[in-house]
């Protein structure tokens, strides 16, 4: 079974979705540890209650990004993860850190990348007047909120949507697509070809053998 380490900075609802999927038997991974850069992250309590090893490494205690990332990598590597899962981990990572985990570092971002990398994605989507918004799970490259897309979910932007409305409806989709992406990784079905992700058919899925499952976009029912 694949070993994963989850990095969080706060609430940890995506982490909870991964734990719930594992507990329901839908995510065949060992969650070896949850690590936060903020000691007060609520998600640390949730993970501990679920019996998962937790650590925090306070970024404020380090002189710069290089030193923090080195300490973080040292902490992560003691768990020998096959995959490192960024679940609301709100730190810009150094190139050295990203290269160290190349092909085994995943992130979720609350927009349809490459639109709206960075912060305040829902506010910016409203300001731009986009009609479709969503979330993306991708492999991480040294560029912020960038990298080969694994799965996206899209929702319609309604005329009277507020930032909070969008955030809430997109979070529901995040909680669906992140366990799905990690499951595909755990099943060894994700292949990187020329910088793009290909999803291999599931060997035990007869339907998939006939018609390979696409890397889906889920469009929420309005
Ligand atoms: C999620 O919406 C996630 O997509 C976002 O932070 C939130 C964390 O919530 N991540 C980013 O913006 C990364 N660029 P959570 O702690 O409840 O999972």
């Amino acid at each position: 079974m694949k070993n994963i380490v989850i990095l969080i900075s706060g609430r940890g609802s995506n982490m909870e979705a991964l734990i719930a999927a594992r507990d329901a038997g839908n995510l065949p991974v060992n969650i070896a540890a949850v690590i936060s850069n903020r000691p007060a992250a609520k998600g640390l309590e949730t993970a501990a209650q679920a019996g998962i090893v937790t650590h925090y490494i306070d970024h404020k205690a380090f002189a710069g990004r290089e030193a923090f990332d080195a300490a973080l990598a040292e902490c992560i590597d003691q768990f020998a993860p096959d995959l490192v899962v960024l679940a609301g981990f709100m730190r810009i990572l150094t190139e050295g850190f990203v290269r160290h985990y190349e092909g085994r570092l995943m992130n979720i971002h609350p927009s349809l990348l490459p639109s709206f990398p960075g912060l305040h994605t829902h506010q910016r989507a409203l300001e731009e007047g986009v009609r479709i918004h969503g979330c993306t799970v991708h492999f991480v490259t040294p560029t912020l909120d960038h990298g080969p897309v694994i799965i996206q979910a899209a929702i319609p932007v309604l005329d009277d949507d507020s930032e909070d409305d969008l955030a809430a409806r997109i979070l529901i989709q995040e909680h669906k697509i992140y366990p799905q992406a990690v499951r595909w990784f755990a099943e060894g079905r994700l292949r990187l070809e020329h910088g793009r992700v290909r999803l291999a058919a599931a060997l035990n899925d007869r339907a998939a053998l006939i018609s390979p499952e696409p890397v889906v976009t889920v469009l929420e029912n309005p």
Side-chain angles (χ1 to χ4, degrees):
M1 193 179 289
K2 302 258 196 246
N3 230 11
I4 70 168
V5 166
I6 303 175
L7 304 189
I8 62 168
S9 294
R11 178 177 59 184
S13 71
N14 276 289
M15 173 206 74
E16 278 185 72
L18 294 166
I19 296 171
R22 180 204 63 176
D23 291 348
N26 293 328
L27 187 56
V29 297
N30 173 45
I31 304 176
V34 170
I35 305 170
S36 170
N37 63 308
R38 294 208 178 101
K42 183 180 166 292
L44 282 179
E45 274 172 47
T46 315
Q49 279 161 11
I52 299 168
V53 172
T54 62
H55 284 280
Y56 65 82
I57 302 177
D58 188 350
H59 62 274
K60 292 191 190 125
F62 293 84
R65 289 191 191 283
E66 300 282 347
F68 170 73
D69 281 8
L72 180 61
E74 195 181 326
C75 183
I76 293 170
D77 287 348
Q78 64 180 298
F79 301 100
D82 298 291
L83 178 68
V84 177
V85 178
L86 306 180
F89 188 67
M90 305 305 276
R91 293 280 307 169
I92 293 173
L93 296 163
T94 55
E95 176 158 1
F97 181 95
V98 173
R99 297 270 179 239
H100 180 65
Y101 297 104
E102 200 158 4
R104 55 190 183 114
L105 185 58
M106 239 182 229
N107 182 42
I108 189 159
H109 183 73
S111 77
L112 292 173
L113 292 173
S115 291
F116 311 124
L119 298 173
H120 311 301
T121 55
H122 309 309
Q123 181 195 324
R124 287 155 62 208
L126 286 174
E127 281 166 8
E128 292 294 341
V130 297
R131 297 296 185 180
I132 294 176
H133 187 35
C135 48
T136 304
V137 178
H138 64 100
F139 283 116
V140 174
T141 66
T143 307
L144 179 69
D145 296 325
H146 170 269
V149 170
I150 299 165
I151 185 169
Q152 293 182 304
I155 65 160
V157 179
L158 307 176
D159 285 346
D160 52 359
D161 269 340
S162 67
E163 204 181 320
D164 286 349
D165 294 334
L166 282 181
R169 297 214 318 284
I170 287 173
L171 197 63
I172 291 168
Q173 300 299 328
E174 292 188 40
H175 296 167
K176 291 182 190 167
I177 66 171
Y178 218 179
Q180 176 68 80
V182 175
R183 182 186 169 125
W184 284 335
F185 183 94
E187 292 171 341
R189 293 176 60 193
L190 298 178
R191 307 247 183 289
L192 268 174
E193 280 174 23
H194 311 295
R196 289 178 63 184
V197 173
R198 301 279 178 206
L199 179 68
L203 288 178
N204 57 359
D205 182 345
R206 287 171 63 84
L209 285 177
I210 298 160
S211 154
E213 205 176 327
V215 178
V216 295
T217 294
V218 182
L219 191 58
E220 178 197 54
N221 291 325

